[in-house]
C-alpha cells in the first residue's frame, strides 16, 4: 500500500518535471514546431518518466537499504537502455534478446518519438556547403528505416483510418 500511495503522490511531480524538461529541450533542439507534435512528445515523455520512476520505487521497496536499491537499479535498467533502439538498430537485435527488447519501455518511447518527429517530414533540406558531406536521406521515412522503425509498431500516425484514444492506428500498406 505504501508503494501504491507513493506512486499516486508522485504523479503531479512527474507531470511538472517532465513538462519543464521537455520545454527546455524540445524547442532548443529544433524539433517539429506544432502543437500536436509537442503534446504527443509530452505524453510519450510523461509515460516514460512515470514508468522509470515507478521502477525505481519498486526496486527501492524491495530492498532494505538505499545503497542496495541504488546498486540494484543500474543492472536492472541497463538492458532496457541497450536494447531500447538508441544504441542498437531495432532490426539487428539477436533473437535471444527479444524478451528484453519487447519489455523495454525505452524502445517504445524511442520509436514513438522518432515517428512523431520524422513520419510526416516530406523533405529534408541540405545545404551544398555542409562541410563536404553529401545529403544521403531526403525524407523522414528514410530516417525511420535506418533505425528499423516501422510506423505500425508505435501506433502514432495522425493520418490513419482508425483511432484509439489520443493515438491512431495505421494498418500495414494503407496510406
Amino acid at each position: 500500500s505504501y508503494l501504491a500511495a507513493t506512486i499516486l503522490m508522485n504523479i503531479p511531480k512527474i507531470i511538472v518535471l517532465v513538462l519543464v524538461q521537455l520545454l527546455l529541450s524540445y524547442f532548443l533542439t529544433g524539433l517539429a514546431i506544432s502543437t500536436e507534435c509537442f503534446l504527443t512528445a509530452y505524453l510519450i515523455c510523461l509515460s516514460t518518466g512515470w514508468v522509470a520512476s515507478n521502477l525505481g520505487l519498486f526496486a527501492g521497496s524491495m530492498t532494505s537499504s538505499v545503497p542496495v536499491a541504488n546498486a540494484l537499479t543500474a543492472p536492472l535498467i541497463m538492458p532496457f537502455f541497450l536494447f531500447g533502439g538508441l544504441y542498437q538498430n531495432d532490426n539487428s537485435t539477436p533473437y535471444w534478446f527479444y524478451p528484453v527488447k519487447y519489455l523495454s519501455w525505452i524502445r517504445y518511447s524511442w520509436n514513438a518519438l522518432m515517428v512523431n518527429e520524422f513520419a510526416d517530414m516530406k523533405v529534408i533540406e541540405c545545404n551544398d556547403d555542409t562541410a563536404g558531406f553529401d545529403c544521403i536521406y531526403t525524407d523522414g521515412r528514410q530516417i525511420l528505416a535506418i533505425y528499423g522503425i516501422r510506423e505500425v509498431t508505435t501506433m502514432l500516425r495522425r493520418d490513419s483510418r482508425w483511432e484509439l484514444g489520443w493515438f491512431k492506428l495505421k494498418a500495414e500498406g494503407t496510406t
Side-chain angles (χ1 to χ4, degrees):
S1 67
Y2 171 76
L3 180 61
T6 306
I7 288 171
L8 291 175
M9 288 186 57
N10 280 338
I11 290 175
K13 179 178 74 171
I14 292 170
I15 288 172
V16 171
L17 289 176
V18 168
L19 181 62
V20 168
Q21 179 184 4
L22 190 64
L23 280 172
L24 291 173
S25 62
Y26 190 86
F27 299 107
L28 290 175
T29 55
L31 296 176
I33 305 293
S34 80
T35 305
E36 186 178 7
C37 286
F38 178 78
L39 290 176
T40 303
Y42 176 64
L43 287 177
I44 294 165
C45 292
L46 185 64
S47 63
T48 304
W50 189 67
V51 169
S53 173
N54 292 337
L55 185 62
L57 287 172
F58 175 73
S61 69
M62 298 303 290
T63 62
S64 60
S65 67
V66 174
V68 172
N70 287 338
L72 178 69
T73 53
L76 183 66
I77 293 175
M78 189 55 63
F80 296 122
F81 274 111
L82 292 175
F83 298 105
L86 179 61
Y87 300 114
Q88 181 180 13
N89 187 316
D90 207 25
N91 293 331
S92 64
T93 304
Y95 70 90
W96 56 84
F97 288 121
Y98 277 10
V100 177
K101 171 182 160 179
Y102 287 112
L103 285 174
S104 174
W105 71 93
I106 297 166
R107 174 183 175 261
Y108 295 107
S109 300
W110 169 256
N111 287 357
L113 287 170
M114 291 289 286
V115 168
N116 185 47
E117 181 63 24
F118 292 111
D120 294 332
M121 188 177 289
K122 303 296 182 207
V123 176
I124 297 176
E125 297 179 14
C126 293
N127 298 333
D128 290 335
D129 51 324
T130 317
F133 294 109
D134 293 332
C135 291
I136 300 172
Y137 308 108
T138 58
D139 67 358
R141 293 184 189 274
Q142 293 174 344
I143 302 292
L144 294 176
I146 294 168
Y147 288 98
I149 297 173
R150 290 186 1 232
E151 295 171 40
V152 73
T153 61
T154 59
M155 300 188 305
L156 257 180
R157 292 295 298 150
R158 291 178 286 279
D159 60 349
S160 305
R161 297 189 181 15
W162 302 281
E163 293 188 17
L164 179 65
W166 178 276
F167 301 113
K168 299 178 181 181
L169 298 172
K170 180 176 179 171
E172 290 277 343
T174 61
T175 57

